[in-house]
Amino acid sequence: VYFCTRPIRPANTPMSTLQPLYGMTPAELGALAAAEGLPRFAAGQMARWLYRRHAATIDAMTDLSAAARVRLASRYEVGRQAPCRADVSSDGTKKYLFATRQGAFVESAYIPDRDRATLCVSSQAGCRMGCRFCATGKQGFTHSLTPNEILNQIGSLPERERLTNLVFMGMGEPLDNTDNVLAALGILTSEQGFGWSPTRITVSTAGVGSDLERLLRETQVHVAVSLHNPFPQERAAIMPVERAWPLHGLLDTLRRCDFSHQRRLSFEYILLAGLNDSPRHLCELVRLLGGMHCRINLIRFHRIPGSPFFSPPEEEIVRFRDGLIRKGIMTTVRASRGEDIRAACGLLSTVRTNLE
């Protein structure tokens, strides 16, 4: 059971033609200040108003001169857009719908859990990875999100001040949009930005190997790898990315990185009855990940219309988890949240979005 609030922002509201400041890096704000003839320290002032005080308008940036605010407002705006709609689950999870500046839509999921509150952030409208167990992959790809559109999911969240963690596990493959995701991460973790510790952020990837090294080199965020099958041919049948970026090469890259208690490596594993839940798969997972400082998150499969897949019974999921633990691999079963509003893992999709 769930209820849906009607649009928070009226449907079909035209997007502004002004350039958004929200999503600009400190360096970009510095270049903007110089181009507009503002003093150098104005960049830091704008950054504080945008990312610490979350100003809604340029006019609210009162430590900038009145003339500077008028000059900026003629070409720029803060550029935060409220969510269009919110769906609320019986378990407290909330799914927010955001419009992009290109006219598409993305979803993000807010998941409260006692003293933690996690936001599942999208990095693309749709996805081109084509994973067969994912509604977003089934939807197909529309466009990558800009830093503004990524950060807007956080800055315009009604529960923004309660957030403790971010996971880039929403719509899209983050490493298919690496430049913009890294820019957003830089703003999130910079002292001139949100000032968040990177240990509060996890980036998930299906395995775009060419950009994984950049993520590992340029950030200290946690990394979650969508594994889902330890056998290459079987993985390729459900995850086409395996053909372009084989898992073994991905693991070689990960083994060269120092994962410790400060930086966590996890592997996501959606259990599909009869396809990847056998003792043979368990033994190969143990062999494949042996010696790596990592954990496995087992995920129940959530049904997608027309999908041939099913989740194993609960006792089989527990048996698979316990078998991995006995072999020395830290393993947990991720709680399913928001399934009734299609906000659970693998269910995000805007293909039927209608704000009328």
Side-chain angles (χ1 to χ4, degrees):
V1 177
Y2 71 93
F3 66 85
C4 169
T5 67
R6 294 318 300 160
I8 299 172
R9 179 178 62 80
N12 303 319
T13 301
M15 290 293 181
S16 170
T17 58
L18 298 175
Q19 186 175 350
L21 297 176
Y22 207 77
M24 286 190 177
T25 65
E28 289 170 334
L29 290 171
L32 181 153
E36 295 294 332
L38 303 180
R40 183 179 301 176
F41 58 79
Q45 292 172 318
M46 286 187 284
R48 282 191 295 275
W49 281 110
L50 291 169
Y51 305 127
R52 296 298 181 95
R53 299 175 182 174
H54 298 282
T57 65
I58 289 174
D59 196 51
M61 301 180 182
T62 52
D63 53 1
L64 295 175
S65 70
R69 282 178 274 154
V70 170
R71 193 180 319 155
L72 286 172
S74 68
R75 295 179 54 194
Y76 301 94
E77 64 177 350
V78 168
R80 289 209 322 271
Q81 300 288 339
C84 306
R85 192 176 71 203
D87 296 341
V88 184
S89 168
S90 58
D91 65 22
T93 298
K94 296 181 182 180
K95 183 174 70 172
Y96 287 101
L97 181 76
F98 291 93
T100 73
R101 289 179 171 258
Q102 294 90 325
F105 294 93
V106 297
E107 294 177 329
S108 56
Y110 171 75
I111 310 166
D113 184 16
R114 296 186 294 275
D115 59 343
R116 290 169 59 92
T118 300
L119 183 68
C120 185
V121 180
S122 291
S123 56
Q124 295 179 314
C127 184
R128 66 174 122 230
M129 295 297 105
C131 297
R132 294 184 59 207
F133 46 79
C134 177
T136 311
K138 187 175 181 181
Q139 172 179 334
F141 177 75
T142 303
H143 69 83
S144 288
L145 301 189
T146 63
N148 168 267
E149 291 163 338
I150 294 171
L151 293 175
N152 183 63
Q153 297 167 71
I154 304 159
S156 294
L157 188 78
E159 298 84 2
R160 179 186 65 220
E161 300 304 324
R162 302 178 194 172
L163 283 179
T164 61
N165 298 86
L166 292 175
V167 292
F168 281 70
M169 296 180 181
M171 301 177 70
E173 163 56 57
L175 297 188
D176 191 34
N177 187 21
T178 307
D179 288 343
N180 290 336
V181 167
L182 288 178
L185 290 173
I187 294 168
L188 286 165
T189 58
S190 167
E191 283 302 313
Q192 293 179 288
F194 283 65
W196 277 39
S197 166
T199 60
R200 297 171 65 181
I201 304 170
T202 300
V203 174
S204 176
T205 177
V208 182
S210 60
D211 289 278
L212 178 60
E213 291 188 14
R214 281 190 66 193
L215 178 72
L216 296 174
R217 182 175 64 250
E218 297 180 24
T219 77
Q220 287 297 313
V221 298
H222 301 312
V223 177
V225 176
S226 297
L227 201 163
H228 309 308
N229 200 303
F231 297 104
Q233 286 188 327
E234 295 179 22
R235 186 171 188 259
I238 57 173
M239 298 181 67
V241 69
E242 171 67 24
R243 301 186 185 97
W245 304 106
L247 179 61
H248 288 89
L250 196 68
L251 294 177
D252 288 343
T253 299
L254 293 168
R255 287 191 178 97
R256 292 195 294 270
C257 182
D258 179 26
F259 288 98
S260 64
H261 67 284
Q262 290 295 323
R263 187 176 205 176
R264 186 173 63 245
L265 171 63
S266 59
F267 291 91
E268 311 294 293
Y269 199 89
I270 294 178
L271 283 165
L272 304 171
L275 289 180
N276 65 357
D277 59 344
S278 72
R280 177 176 67 94
H281 292 92
L282 190 152
C283 289
E284 182 63 9
L285 278 173
V286 173
R287 188 196 68 80
L288 201 64
L289 304 182
M292 298 185 73
H293 190 78
C294 66
R295 68 176 66 186
I296 294 178
N297 292 321
L298 299 180
I299 304 169
R300 299 168 179 86
F301 173 67
H302 303 108
R303 285 282 293 163
I304 300 168
S307 170
F309 305 130
F310 294 89
S311 181
E314 188 66 22
E315 59 269 22
E316 294 297 325
I317 295 175
V318 171
R319 185 176 295 116
F320 201 87
R321 179 202 65 189
D322 293 348
L324 289 168
I325 292 173
R326 282 195 297 271
K327 295 293 185 178
I329 297 181
M330 182 184 298
T331 307
T332 58
V333 178
R334 181 181 294 167
S336 292
R337 298 288 303 273
E339 187 172 3
D340 56 343
I341 57 169
R342 303 195 67 76
C345 183
L347 294 183
L348 296 183
S349 174
T350 58
V351 72
R352 291 189 177 89
T353 294
N354 180 5
L355 295 180
E356 297 300 327

